[in-house]
Amino acid sequence: MGRRHGPGPPRGAAALVRAAAAALTALSTTSPQRPQEDTVGKLAGKTALVTGSSRGIGRATAQRLAREGALVAVHYHADADAAGSTVAGIEAAGGRAFAVRAELGVPGDADTLLLAVEAGLKERTGANTLDILVNNAAIMGGVAPEEVTPEQFDRLVAVNAKAPFFIVQRALGLLPDGGRIINISSGLTRFANPEEVVYSMTKGAVEQLALHFAKYLGPRGITVNSVAPGITDNGSPVFGIPEAVEQMAQLSAFGRVGRPADVGDVIAFLASDDARWVTGSFVDATGGTLLG
């Protein structure tokens, strides 16, 4: 009998290794190649609603979702021209969108909004499926704490906290398994601005909305997350004052104020399948403002 030189593999192991190598070689040469990332948008065939998307972060979000292939419902309250401009810009870039009007913070607001969205979706797709919901619309206070009236308090709560809750509730029957809900919070839930105490309270409620609905909707594969922007140029007059912009820029780790697209890109990630394992989270999109 011949001697074995060294321990070597057990009898038959070499044949198994050769067979495995051959199988891997065949797999690598016969498997179809994955399409290029930019050939088809990550949200192709999806539908989305972005509240308050006639300007600012909402507009940038609607534009980005449409660029990824989604059909976007552009919600507005009063400025039909701005909403129309958002839709026109999306369509000019090859995307699809339509405008829907609804006042938030009033009785029946969620039903009014979603009925309009359903009608728009059915007209364009033949179904009322809503894959992505972005609760972005909100109003701010800008009032010293001692000057806040009960009416102002109730108005901020109604628009910023109550409306998102009932919009989510109303949309549950339209969202398929694997759907996406993204609620826009604020960096002001983490650092103080006394003139926005009520606004910050409502945004804290929005974060709780994401946390608890994430648990509730997890079995359906629906993710629910919060995104917190920092100081972002939304076109307000203050951003036209260089001295003010310079002061605001110093709050960011990057030394500049945010652009709407900075936040819209984060939202688009959470709306995609890439974020399928992210839910119930608070995403800091303040540009490092919360770093101290």
Side-chain angles (χ1 to χ4, degrees), residues 27-255:
L27 182 64
S28 65
T29 57
T30 61
S31 296
Q33 292 185 346
R34 295 180 62 187
Q36 295 295 319
E37 290 292 335
D38 58 354
T39 56
V40 178
K42 291 183 177 181
L43 301 178
K46 302 292 187 180
T47 60
L49 164 62
V50 183
T51 66
S53 49
S54 63
R55 64 183 185 90
I57 291 171
R59 170 180 281 189
T61 300
Q63 291 171 333
R64 177 60 194 273
L65 297 182
R67 194 160 70 244
E68 292 291 348
L71 167 62
V72 183
V74 174
H75 162 257
Y76 72 100
H77 167 216
D79 197 339
D81 290 340
S85 176
T86 301
V87 171
I90 288 172
E91 292 178 339
R96 299 182 300 154
F98 61 95
V100 290
R101 181 189 179 280
E103 181 179 1
L104 302 184
V106 297
D109 53 0
D111 200 45
T112 299
L113 172 60
L114 271 300
L115 282 173
V117 171
E118 286 185 82
L121 293 176
K122 284 183 178 179
E123 179 182 342
R124 291 161 178 82
T125 70
N128 63 355
T129 301
L130 180 64
D131 298 291
I132 302 159
L133 168 61
V134 181
N135 278 309
N136 167 74
I139 56 175
M140 299 189 75
V143 179
E146 64 269 23
E147 297 176 2
V148 176
T149 67
E151 292 77 18
Q152 291 169 328
F153 186 98
D154 290 345
R155 177 66 177 160
L156 264 71
V157 171
V159 174
N160 298 357
K162 184 177 180 180
F165 176 89
F166 285 101
I167 290 172
V168 171
Q169 184 193 70
R170 175 62 171 75
L172 289 182
L174 310 179
L175 284 161
D177 291 355
R180 299 285 185 267
I181 300 173
I182 301 107
N183 299 312
I184 308 308
S185 179
S186 170
L188 286 175
T189 63
R190 299 297 192 275
F191 60 89
N193 178 350
E195 291 188 350
E196 295 296 349
V197 58
V198 181
Y199 171 81
S200 301
M201 291 170 65
T202 65
K203 289 302 185 179
V206 164
E207 292 173 14
Q208 292 301 308
L209 178 67
L211 181 66
H212 295 279
F213 266 107
K215 176 70 172 179
Y216 182 65
L217 296 174
R220 292 181 53 191
I222 296 174
T223 66
V224 192
N225 294 287
S226 298
V227 173
I231 298 173
T232 307
D233 185 350
N234 61 5
S236 297
V238 68
F239 291 99
I241 305 173
E243 296 80 5
V245 172
E246 178 61 25
Q247 290 180 358
M248 291 185 287
Q250 298 311 307
L251 296 175
S252 164
F254 298 120

